[in-house]
Amino acid sequence: MKNLKVKTKLNMIIALVIILVLGASVVSIRNLNQVKDKAIESMEASTRQSYDQNIKEQVGAVISLLTEINQEYEDGTYTLDEAKKVAADEVREMRYGDSGYFWVDESDGTNVVLLGSDTEGTNRMGTKDAAGYQMVKEIIRVAVEDGGGYTDYVFPKEGETESSPKRSYSEYFEPFDWVVGTGNYTDYIDDEIAAQDAEYSDFATQKAITLVSICIVLLIIVTLLVIQIAVDITRALKKISGHIEVIAEGNFAQSMDAAYLNRKDDFGQLSATLNKMRESVRELLVKVKGEADNIDTVVQNIESNVTTLNEEIEDVSATTEELAASTEETAASAEQISTMSQEIEGAAKGIAVRAQDGATEAEEIHKRARETKDNTVKNRAMVTKMLSEIRESLEKALEDAKVVDQIGVLAESILNITGQTNLLALNASIEAARAGEAGKGFAVVADEIRMLAEQSKEAVANIQAVTDNVNQAVGNLATDSNRLLDFVDTDIVDSFNKFEEMADAYNDDASRVNDLVADFSATSEELVASIDGIMEAIGGISSASNDGAAGTTNIAQRTVSIANGSSEVLDRAKDAATSAEELKKNVDLFKIEENE
């Protein structure tokens, strides 16, 4: 499932919903028919049980009457024959329902009561029904041997030749040796069951047609809705993924399509955030390019100034060597000392001027190094802040990108199926309530239909699984975006750190050069003072020459130190140039203009 596309998974859901709906429809129709059959069986059993209970209660009423009359006989109110006659007359007149009556036979088959007909007084033990069944004998047997029971037989109705089913109940009253019985035709029960079967069949057919129609309509709606959502989701994901790939390749010039930026859903928010990130990084890269060019210019100026300084130091070194040679020759010849003293004075003044120029250049180097460090710190803080804002904005956008809200429409549609199904269950319950006692079995319809609602909920669970996969796709987008932010956070910020370290090194080197030049200037001033002393007192030429030799030696040593410091500054400048070139090379990989 993890390797399947979102469109494929949604198509699988459509197929699953179709199978579930069709399966639920077939099962529901089959269950409706089964429930109908069970309801008919239950109704028939209930009707026949009610009929049996009714005739049994009627016979019980006669037995109660006979018990009262027998009690009067035992009390002496009647003789036995009088009691039997009173009882027979009472039973002969008793009726129930439309045509219910009672008959009484003695245990030997002699009829006592039968609607006052000629059969009374005769023995009818051998009487048979239309099928040859000795019904009277069975009626008497179940009453005497079993204490009461039912007998089924067939007999033509009055004025008819075709036999109809009858069912009787008989009970034995031992004090009078009477078997009391009653019964009636039961074909009306078959007619009622057939009519109810036809009515239930029509009802079940109508409900099945309604159910199938609703399922088909909802299935079409859900299918169209899922297809539309699938197309929209896959198209949006493909478009946004393509734009992220373009950005990942370093192209920040291409903007997101306006159609996606103007969308109001989660994909619109994600597109807007992605475009905002692109613009922010693009502005950052423009500034980084500008700073890289500026650093390159500064490094070139440093190289030029250091080169000039080296040339001046070489001049100072050469002049110092000449001064040392002249000072040594002064010990041998006073005339030459006087002449050379003038040359030394001019050279010393040139040294002082050049030393002052060197101090100025060292101060410029120190100032530029300090400005480079400040700019680097400022730019690094700006990049860090902008990176934090971009990351926070992206995380918020990804948090808001919940495709479940779109797919929730699908879940809502399927839940509508559950609502319709529950409505059908309610209709079934109402019909069962209207049927009364006979409709108890029909209540099973509600339970079976509720099963359809449960099956629909399973479809909702599958849709929620798709929602998790869509969230995973959005997580992949977040991973790609974070990779881009990590690149900016790691490479560019590290470059700024290197710039700051180089700026500190430049600053320290400039300070050392400034100190050396200051010492050099002081030494030059001392040299000028020494030359003035030589001009004022030729007598102290030897001492002044020695002082001049010592001074020139010191100048030579300091000149070497200055040369070493200048070389170190030049090496730092070359390192800075290499770093600036590397930064510019990395930044040039990004495309920030359409024509690049």
Side-chain angles (χ1 to χ4, degrees):
M1 292 293 291
K2 294 182 179 180
N3 296 326
L4 297 179
K5 294 183 178 180
V6 175
K7 183 178 180 180
T8 302
K9 294 178 180 179
L10 291 176
N11 290 332
M12 291 175 63
I13 289 179
I14 294 175
L16 180 60
V17 171
I18 292 174
I19 293 173
L20 288 176
V21 172
L22 293 178
S25 300
V26 173
V27 172
S28 298
I29 293 173
R30 182 179 298 174
N31 290 338
L32 281 174
N33 291 328
Q34 292 177 354
V35 168
K36 185 263 296 181
D37 294 338
K38 290 181 180 180
I40 294 299
E41 291 176 3
S42 176
M43 178 181 177
E44 182 176 4
S46 176
T47 303
R48 294 190 184 280
Q49 183 180 3
S50 177
Y51 170 80
D52 289 347
Q53 186 66 26
N54 182 42
I55 61 177
K56 183 178 180 180
E57 290 176 353
Q58 297 298 331
V59 171
V62 174
I63 295 298
S64 298
L65 175 63
L66 296 181
T67 301
E68 293 177 1
I69 295 175
N70 182 61
Q71 185 63 43
E72 292 180 355
Y73 155 69
E74 291 178 355
D75 293 340
T77 304
Y78 301 115
T79 63
L80 181 58
D81 291 336
E82 289 175 343
K84 288 183 176 181
K85 184 178 185 306
V86 171
D89 292 339
E90 290 289 341
V91 174
R92 191 179 290 111
E93 298 297 327
M94 291 180 67
R95 299 287 187 275
Y96 65 91
D98 295 336
S99 59
Y101 63 93
F102 301 93
W103 64 79
V104 179
D105 294 293
E106 294 179 354
S107 60
D108 61 0
T110 301
N111 182 258
V112 179
V113 175
L114 186 57
L115 298 176
S117 65
D118 295 337
T119 305
E120 292 181 358
T122 63
N123 190 299
R124 60 179 192 140
M125 182 66 78
T127 303
K128 299 180 180 180
D129 66 358
Y133 178 64
Q134 292 182 340
M135 58 184 182
V136 176
K137 182 178 180 180
E138 181 64 19
I139 291 172
I140 294 174
R141 186 194 67 78
V142 296
V144 175
E145 295 180 3
D146 299 339
Y150 299 94
T151 304
D152 294 310
Y153 54 95
V154 293
F155 209 81
K157 293 182 179 180
E158 184 177 358
E160 297 181 0
T161 58
E162 187 176 352
S163 299
S164 298
K166 294 189 70 174
R167 182 175 175 83
S168 67
Y169 178 79
S170 58
E171 190 171 333
Y172 182 56
F173 187 68
E174 187 176 359
F176 290 174
D177 190 29
W178 282 4
V179 175
V180 180
T182 186
N184 210 332
Y185 292 97
T186 59
D187 54 344
Y188 77 94
I189 296 178
D190 296 332
D191 295 338
E192 289 180 358
I193 295 301
Q196 195 65 40
D197 187 16
E199 182 180 351
Y200 284 178
S201 296
D202 293 340
F203 175 80
T205 301
Q206 293 176 0
K207 294 301 180 182
I209 293 174
T210 302
L211 176 62
V212 172
S213 300
I214 291 174
C215 290
I216 291 175
V217 172
L218 292 178
L219 183 61
I220 293 173
I221 293 174
V222 170
T223 301
L224 294 177
L225 185 59
V226 171
I227 291 174
Q228 183 179 1
I229 293 175
V231 171
D232 183 64
I233 290 175
T234 53
R235 183 182 299 166
L237 286 175
K238 183 177 180 181
K239 184 65 178 179
I240 294 176
S241 298
H243 191 68
I244 290 178
E245 290 178 358
V246 171
I247 294 177
E249 292 174 356
N251 186 357
F252 290 85
Q254 183 176 346
S255 177
M256 195 70 182
D257 289 347
Y260 286 89
L261 293 175
N262 294 330
R263 289 179 61 154
K264 302 301 181 182
D265 59 357
D266 296 324
F267 287 110
Q269 295 178 4
L270 181 60
S271 299
T273 303
L274 186 62
N275 194 61
K276 183 178 179 181
M277 181 199 71
R278 182 192 65 80
E279 290 292 338
S280 299
V281 176
R282 179 177 174 275
E283 293 177 0
L284 174 63
L285 291 174
V286 171
K287 293 180 179 179
V288 170
K289 278 189 174 184
E291 293 299 329
D293 293 337
N294 185 32
I295 291 174
D296 188 52
T297 302
V298 171
V299 169
Q300 291 177 359
N301 291 333
I302 291 174
E303 290 181 351
S304 176
N305 292 330
V306 170
T307 300
T308 302
L309 179 62
N310 285 336
E311 292 176 354
E312 293 178 353
I313 291 174
E314 290 176 357
D315 293 341
V316 171
S317 179
T319 304
T320 304
E321 290 176 357
E322 293 176 358
L323 180 60
S326 299
T327 304
E328 291 176 354
E329 292 176 357
T330 301
S333 177
E335 273 183 45
Q336 293 178 353
I337 290 174
S338 178
T339 303
M340 292 299 296
S341 294
Q342 295 177 355
E343 295 177 358
I344 292 172
E345 182 179 12
K349 290 181 180 179
I351 291 172
V353 173
R354 291 185 179 183
Q356 186 63 34
D357 294 337
T360 303
E361 291 294 334
E363 183 63 23
E364 288 293 328
I365 293 172
H366 180 70
K367 180 178 179 181
R368 289 171 182 171
R370 186 171 59 251
E371 290 176 353
T372 300
K373 178 181 178 181
D374 294 340
N375 290 333
T376 301
V377 172
K378 180 179 179 182
N379 291 331
R380 184 180 62 183
M382 180 181 65
V383 169
T384 303
K385 179 179 179 182
M386 186 174 298
L387 181 64
S388 177
E389 293 175 352
I390 293 171
R391 190 184 298 277
E392 182 179 356
S393 176
L394 179 60
E395 291 176 351
K396 183 176 182 302
L398 292 175
E399 179 67 20
D400 295 336
K402 295 180 178 178
V403 184
V404 175
D405 294 338
Q406 286 285 340
I407 303 178
V409 178
L410 173 61
E412 185 66 23
S413 299
I414 296 177
L415 287 178
N416 288 334
I417 297 176
T418 304
Q420 293 291 335
T421 306
N422 287 330
L423 180 60
L424 182 59
L426 179 60
N427 291 334
S429 299
I430 294 173
E431 292 297 332
R434 289 179 178 176
E437 184 69 21
K440 290 182 179 179
F442 195 66
V444 181
V445 174
D447 295 332
E448 295 296 332
I449 294 178
R450 288 189 187 98
M451 291 176 61
L452 177 61
E454 295 297 328
Q455 294 171 353
S456 299
K457 290 181 180 178
E458 293 179 0
V460 175
N462 290 329
I463 293 174
Q464 291 174 347
V466 174
T467 302
D468 294 338
N469 292 328
V470 174
N471 285 333
Q472 183 178 359
V474 175
N476 293 334
L477 297 180
T479 301
D480 294 338
S481 300
N482 287 329
R483 289 176 55 196
L484 177 62
L485 293 176
D486 291 338
F487 169 75
V488 176
D489 187 22
T490 302
D491 293 351
I492 295 180
V493 172
D494 287 344
S495 298
F496 278 122
N497 291 334
K498 292 180 180 178
F499 293 158
E500 185 176 355
E501 292 174 1
M502 285 188 292
D504 290 333
Y506 294 158
N507 193 17
D508 294 338
D509 294 338
S511 297
R512 287 196 296 269
V513 171
N514 191 28
D515 293 338
L516 292 174
V517 172
D519 293 340
F520 187 80
S521 178
T523 303
S524 298
E525 290 177 359
E526 292 176 1
L527 179 60
V528 172
S530 298
I531 293 173
D532 291 336
I534 291 173
M535 296 299 294
E536 292 175 357
I538 195 63
I541 291 175
S542 180
S543 178
S545 297
N546 292 331
D547 292 337
T552 52
T553 300
N554 187 21
I555 291 173
Q557 293 175 351
R558 293 182 180 275
T559 302
V560 172
S561 298
I562 293 173
N564 293 333
S566 177
S567 297
E568 185 176 355
V569 171
L570 185 59
D571 292 337
R572 297 284 185 175
K574 290 180 180 180
D575 292 339
T578 302
S579 299
E581 183 65 25
E582 183 66 21
L583 175 61
K584 187 174 181 181
K585 180 179 179 182
N586 291 332
V587 174
D588 288 338
L589 295 176
F590 296 99
K591 182 179 179 182
I592 58 177
E593 299 293 340
E594 288 292 344
N595 55 357
E596 289 186 3

